[in-house]
Amino acid sequence: MLGKLIQLEGILLILPTMLGLYFSEKSFIYLAVTAGGSIILGSLIRLIPTKNSRIRAKEGFVITALAWLVFSAIGAIPFCISGYIPSFTDAMFETSSGFTTTGASILPNVEILPRCLLFWRSFTHWIGGMGILVFMLIFVQSSADEMNIMKAESPGPSVEKMVPKVRETALTLYAIYTTMTIILIIALIIAGMPAFDSACISFGTAGTGGFGVKSDSIASYNSTCQTIITIGMVMFGINFNAYFLILIRKFKSLFKLEEVITYLSIFFIASIIVTLGTVGESFGGSFHHASFQVASIMTTTGFATVDFNLWTTMPKGILVLVMFIGACAGSTGGGLKVSRVILYFKQVVREIQSYIHPSSVRNIRLDGKSVNRDTLRTTNVFLMAYIFIFVTSFFIISFDGFDLTTTFTSVAATINNIGPGLELVGPTGHYADYSILSKWVLIFDMIAGRLELFPVLIMFSISTWRKK
């Protein structure tokens, strides 16, 4: 599986290589070398004989975690050998941030990069948005075992097949994903954005990543482009099952998607509150920037039209709150996920009711269906693991000596795959000043957060590698 994935990354690297050739940029050589090396290395790995090709749950988790580490490491090579990011740790941070759709950067000025490397940097968002392994499953013959890979990589409390076969599910997901991305690119070009910029920004919007091609993120583009990006971020933060229901014309079922309704409600309420906290010369202008930033942070995209570091405490507090809530399960967004927040709330309500009415029996329901105990258990364990990793990461990087807000939001922004935090890691800041140890901790947080913690924790578990 890793051999196939390394070959796939080599093939994907051909696109920015061709772009470098088109723009006559010498950096295309570094992309070409990495592409060729990846294809050869992947082919050699696939020659290694295997005794058992069965993919159980354990193998699915380990394959997924290793895949994201290997993809990030190989993706970092062009930045290193080109000299634009000479430190492998920094290059690994940048590409991990790209593939996990985090958008945190160690580059103070992204505009120094040639266009082919800028394209590769943004393209990593699009590749990682729907899932590296989900993308690979399109090209290989799938089996029932490979559902274990899809479950390990897909965000949210649970994942179900849209159609009977795993490969067909992957094809359906990427057909929707690709179509929405193309529509977004065309809309931005019509609105006046240059074609190259629109492609890169659309990759970041679709993957809810946040890498831009300008140091001011989205601020220098016109308001129409910003509005289109706002709509795009909100749409890519919705559970893709909703779009599948539209495709098969089950419109009534859309109104039963409790998570989607809650997600949109939180977005609109938070946008209004932030608008009231930042209202300046005009309500319309304030709402424009407020809704953009709420969409950007809640969907964990990380784009910015203004420096929200300069806002007062209340609107910044709302942004931190939606930072943790995140987008829908089954979307390209990160965070805890709205479905989990709903389940946590309903469990609290049920517990209160059990004290008031001890003999009552109340089932927790989501989208009109009863949630089984296993799902509730894993949802609660996820929160405990999330808190443990968050606290441990916060403790380690606090030794770098930055202020409390910077340290806290840098962990929150990486584990929730958002990108910008507050203060030194705000929308106009970067992560370059962190120590090597802290950067590797944040890399771990980005990959763990993107994979919903457990694949990475299982990979590092000693018992996983023990023979029977």
Side-chain angles (χ1 to χ4, degrees):
M1 293 297 288
L2 287 174
K4 290 177 183 178
L5 283 162
I6 293 169
Q7 284 180 317
L8 175 62
E9 185 165 17
I11 294 167
L12 291 169
L13 277 159
I14 293 173
L15 187 57
T17 301
M18 293 174 64
L19 196 69
L21 271 170
Y22 176 78
F23 287 122
S24 301
E25 295 171 335
K26 66 177 183 180
S27 293
F28 88 90
I29 297 171
Y30 311 116
L31 290 160
V33 168
T34 309
S38 298
I39 294 170
I40 293 168
L41 177 61
S43 302
L44 292 173
I45 290 173
R46 291 186 66 182
L47 294 175
I48 299 171
T50 178
K51 293 180 181 179
N52 186 3
S53 59
R54 178 79 187 273
I55 302 172
R56 296 166 295 181
K58 179 180 74 173
E59 283 82 8
F61 281 115
V62 174
I63 287 169
T64 300
L66 283 173
W68 285 74
L69 282 170
V70 170
F71 241 70
S72 298
I74 292 173
I77 292 172
F79 293 106
C80 277
I81 61 178
S82 66
Y84 285 99
I85 308 179
S87 164
F88 178 75
T89 295
D90 287 349
M92 181 72 176
F93 185 99
E94 199 75 11
T95 49
S96 296
S97 179
F99 283 119
T100 59
T101 70
T102 303
S105 181
I106 51 83
L107 292 169
N109 179 18
V110 299
E111 294 175 46
I112 63 168
L113 294 178
R115 279 175 285 190
C116 59
L117 287 180
L118 272 176
F119 183 89
W120 172 240
R121 181 172 174 264
S122 295
F123 193 40
T124 57
H125 280 334
W126 194 85
I127 296 167
M130 192 56 67
I132 294 167
L133 286 144
V134 173
F135 187 65
M136 188 200 70
L137 291 177
I138 296 173
F139 304 101
V140 300
Q141 287 296 333
S142 60
S143 66
D145 289 342
E146 286 168 1
M147 190 60 190
N148 289 320
I149 290 177
M150 205 165 192
K151 286 180 179 178
E153 191 177 51
S154 298
S158 62
V159 63
E160 296 177 357
K161 289 183 285 186
M162 291 180 177
V163 290
K165 293 182 180 180
V166 175
R167 184 168 180 263
E168 289 178 11
T169 299
L171 276 167
T172 302
L173 282 170
Y174 262 93
I176 297 169
Y177 186 50
T178 304
T179 302
M180 289 174 65
T181 305
I182 292 170
I183 292 170
L184 182 60
I185 292 171
I186 294 170
L188 289 173
I189 291 172
I190 293 171
M193 187 180 287
F196 175 80
D197 293 26
S198 66
C200 292
I201 297 301
S202 294
F203 292 152
T205 306
T208 60
F211 279 158
V213 295
K214 295 185 178 181
S215 296
D216 64 359
S217 189
I218 309 297
S220 58
Y221 298 111
N222 63 51
S223 60
T224 306
C225 289
Q226 293 173 359
T227 301
I228 291 169
I229 294 166
T230 302
I231 296 168
M233 290 187 293
V234 173
M235 290 185 68
F236 281 101
I238 291 174
N239 192 321
F240 272 60
N241 282 328
Y243 301 124
F244 182 70
L245 289 173
I246 293 171
L247 282 177
I248 60 175
R249 298 182 180 181
K250 288 189 176 181
F251 301 110
K252 289 183 179 179
S253 299
L254 286 172
F255 297 101
K256 296 180 182 179
L257 296 178
E258 190 177 345
E259 181 187 29
V260 175
I261 294 168
T262 305
Y263 160 76
L264 293 174
S265 299
I266 293 171
F267 164 70
F268 283 116
I269 293 168
S271 297
I272 293 296
I273 295 172
V274 172
T275 300
L276 295 175
T278 58
V279 67
E281 294 180 1
S282 69
F283 181 87
S286 296
F287 181 76
H288 170 79
H289 293 296
S291 58
F292 185 98
Q293 292 311 148
V294 170
S296 179
I297 299 301
M298 187 172 181
T299 62
T300 69
T301 305
F303 286 138
T305 56
V306 292
D307 184 2
F308 50 81
N309 248 337
L310 304 177
W311 287 355
T312 58
T313 302
M314 188 274 284
K316 286 197 291 186
I318 295 295
L319 291 184
V320 172
L321 179 62
V322 297
M323 182 185 291
F324 283 96
I325 294 172
C328 296
S331 71
T332 60
L336 284 171
K337 304 295 184 300
V338 174
S339 56
R340 284 199 182 94
V341 174
I342 293 171
L343 291 177
Y344 294 140
F345 176 77
K346 289 189 175 184
Q347 287 183 85
V348 171
V349 171
R350 185 178 68 173
E351 195 65 21
I352 292 170
Q353 291 295 325
S354 70
Y355 283 112
I356 299 171
H357 305 287
S359 59
S360 66
V361 177
R362 294 171 62 91
N363 290 328
I364 291 177
R365 302 176 71 84
L366 186 66
D367 297 340
K369 300 175 184 177
S370 292
V371 180
N372 60 50
R373 290 184 179 181
D374 285 341
T375 301
L376 292 176
R377 176 181 56 81
T378 55
T379 301
N380 293 333
V381 172
F382 174 88
L383 182 60
M384 288 185 280
Y386 179 93
I387 293 170
F388 175 78
I389 293 173
F390 192 102
V391 171
T392 304
S393 301
F394 177 82
F395 174 74
I396 294 172
I397 71 169
S398 66
F399 284 98
D400 280 8
F402 296 117
D403 63 272
L404 179 65
T405 303
T406 297
T407 305
F408 181 86
T409 58
S410 63
V411 176
T414 49
I415 198 170
N416 291 316
N417 303 134
I418 292 160
L422 296 173
E423 301 301 337
L424 298 179
V425 293
T428 59
H430 51 79
Y431 290 75
D433 297 328
Y434 274 109
S435 65
I436 291 175
L437 174 61
S438 293
K439 286 173 183 172
W440 281 102
V441 169
L442 296 175
I443 289 169
F444 174 89
D445 289 345
M446 287 188 283
I447 296 175
R450 173 59 182 82
L451 299 181
E452 307 277 278
L453 309 183
F454 291 111
V456 176
L457 295 177
I458 290 169
M459 184 185 69
F460 283 108
S461 173
I462 296 171
S463 61
T464 300
W465 303 95
R466 245 183 227 144
K467 290 184 178 181
K468 290 182 181 178

